[in-house]
Amino acid sequence: MSDERRQCGEVIEELNTTVQALLPELDTQLDVIPWETDTHPDLTGSPQEVVDDQLPKDSDVFLGIMWSRFGTPTGTAGSGTEHEFLSARRGWETKRRPAHLRFYFCEASIPPKVAGEHADQLKAVFDFRPELSNQGLVGSYEDRSRFSDTVRRDLVLVLARLLHGQTVQIEDAQGGSGVITPADHAIVRNQVEALTREYEHLRETMQSGDRRTRRMEVVASQLRSLAQSAYPLLPDLATSERPGDRLAAVCIHQAIPDATYLDWLGERMPAEQPFLGYHAAVALLVAARDLPVESLDQVAHALERAESMWSRLLRSTDRSRVLDNVRGELKRRLSGTGRL
């Protein structure tokens, strides 16, 4: 994934230049910390122990990428990438550091020779992905040469939240309709509509299965990356009769959760097709993680509403597993307030 890593570095340089030009008083800079350049040889431990010892223990963002290879076992995990992800997730669960976890899976076609020679690696990637999906941490992209387009928009949202907090981000998004020009509004609406039409085309023309789901996941990731600029479209998208528009509304909430739409999200799980219902569950999980504590009762109500309306929900479905994570996140956050 060297090309994606290079693009990520270029995007971060671009964001640093932008922030320093527009907000010099913040004295803020993003730094990439790759083990290849930020560690030195050391024979006092295993390779992974050396990396763990030399890299900084604290960071704001963890960003992982996978395609056709899972990696080399470390002794504590199936690969160095899995080890680092598990370490970051433990830090997030115990002290919210890193503050943001992002993991991207490439959906580009894998050459048959590579697939044949590394079948065990592909299986490991396939087995690893559901664990992250059920935690709402997955993004997808198809064109490796344009990974920067995906990660740029996601990092802009992350940076805004790090600098200004979730509440300010929602206020900025809500106020966007007042400053966006009609021409810009039309451009964003056309981008959203193209993606929602693509989702509907995929659902109607492809056979149900893993291949269709992965293609639709790419569309969902692209919709999520448009969340900040598409937020003013939310009322129309949420009430649309088109499933693609409702998917766009759900994906916006995955990036910018808003308490006023929580019951609407809860209603989506029993009312929609499985893919859209799953993403509604993920949006509810993001809300349970990111909304202020005073909004958690509304999250709990939306969860109860979803489960009461869908009494036949199988416990083995991905939606059910995500809702279990919603319940666990609510318990964790509310227990710290003495309200449980």
Side-chain angles (χ1 to χ4, degrees):
M1 312 305 293
S2 58
D3 191 40
E4 284 89 339
R5 290 158 69 91
R6 175 189 59 78
Q7 292 179 60
C8 188
E10 292 173 352
V11 167
I12 287 174
E13 288 183 11
E14 173 189 318
L15 291 177
N16 281 334
T17 300
T18 302
V19 171
Q20 289 166 11
L22 297 178
L23 301 167
E25 69 278 5
L26 293 181
D27 192 26
T28 297
Q29 178 167 313
L30 296 172
D31 291 313
V32 182
I33 310 175
W35 66 267
E36 296 94 332
T37 58
D38 285 50
T39 61
H40 58 267
D42 192 326
L43 300 178
T44 60
S46 69
Q48 189 62 58
E49 289 172 337
V50 170
V51 170
D52 290 346
D53 183 59
Q54 294 184 16
L55 290 184
K57 301 295 188 294
D58 190 36
S59 63
D60 292 295
V61 183
F62 171 89
L63 196 155
I65 313 170
M66 274 190 182
W67 181 33
S68 61
R69 288 187 56 81
F70 189 65
T72 304
T74 65
T76 60
S79 69
T81 302
E82 183 185 30
H83 171 90
E84 290 160 10
F85 166 74
L86 294 174
S87 177
R89 189 177 67 180
R90 284 193 296 270
W92 184 87
E93 289 174 343
T94 57
K95 53 185 179 180
R96 284 301 189 262
R97 302 290 297 173
H100 298 274
L101 306 179
R102 294 289 186 272
F103 213 105
Y104 299 90
F105 286 89
C106 178
E107 306 293 359
S109 298
I110 298 172
K113 183 178 180 181
V114 174
E117 292 176 351
H118 302 289
D120 57 334
Q121 290 285 317
L122 289 174
K123 183 180 184 304
V125 173
F126 183 83
D127 292 341
F128 180 59
R129 181 169 179 158
E131 178 184 357
L132 276 68
S133 296
N134 293 333
Q135 298 174 53
L137 302 174
V138 169
S140 301
Y141 65 102
E142 278 186 314
D143 189 341
R144 296 188 63 196
S145 67
R146 300 188 63 181
F147 174 67
S148 59
D149 292 342
T150 297
V151 77
R152 178 184 294 107
R153 286 169 170 161
D154 288 352
L155 286 178
V156 166
L157 290 172
V158 167
L159 186 58
R161 196 173 297 181
L162 288 171
L163 293 177
H164 304 300
Q166 177 68 23
T167 302
V168 173
Q169 186 183 17
I170 291 175
E171 292 173 351
D172 287 346
Q174 289 173 333
S177 57
V179 297
I180 192 171
T181 68
D184 289 339
H185 183 88
I187 290 172
V188 172
R189 188 65 185 90
N190 288 338
Q191 290 176 321
V192 171
E193 183 167 1
L195 290 169
T196 60
R197 296 288 184 189
E198 182 179 354
Y199 162 72
E200 291 169 356
H201 177 73
L202 292 171
R203 199 182 72 165
E204 292 169 2
T205 61
M206 292 187 69
Q207 184 177 357
S208 177
D210 184 65
R211 183 167 176 267
R212 186 180 76 168
T213 298
R214 292 187 178 230
R215 291 283 300 278
M216 293 193 300
E217 284 290 356
V218 172
V219 173
S221 289
Q222 292 172 324
L223 286 169
R224 192 160 51 244
S225 70
L226 291 172
Q228 190 78 25
S229 54
Y231 194 96
L233 305 174
L234 192 53
D236 291 337
L237 294 172
T239 56
S240 172
E241 295 183 358
R242 292 182 47 222
D245 284 349
R246 297 194 299 275
L247 175 65
V250 165
C251 290
I252 289 171
H253 284 297
Q254 290 177 352
I256 309 174
D258 184 339
T260 59
Y261 282 85
L262 288 173
D263 281 345
W264 179 83
L265 286 173
E267 293 167 0
R268 301 277 61 76
M269 278 162 269
E272 304 285 1
Q273 293 292 323
F275 182 84
L276 211 165
Y278 160 76
H279 276 279
V282 171
L284 201 59
L285 176 58
V286 173
R289 288 174 177 160
D290 292 350
L291 286 178
V293 171
E294 54 266 26
S295 297
L296 294 185
D297 285 342
Q298 293 171 263
V299 177
H301 181 267
L303 175 62
E304 293 172 3
R305 186 177 181 83
E307 294 182 326
S308 65
M309 294 176 67
W310 200 2
S311 59
R312 294 175 296 172
L313 178 64
L314 297 176
R315 304 312 299 172
S316 59
T317 64
D318 53 0
R319 285 152 290 171
S320 174
R321 287 188 285 267
V322 174
L323 291 181
D324 286 342
N325 286 330
V326 174
R327 191 178 298 104
E329 185 63 23
L330 285 172
K331 181 178 181 180
R332 186 195 66 78
R333 293 191 66 192
L334 289 173
S335 64
T337 67
R339 293 164 58 187
L340 280 183

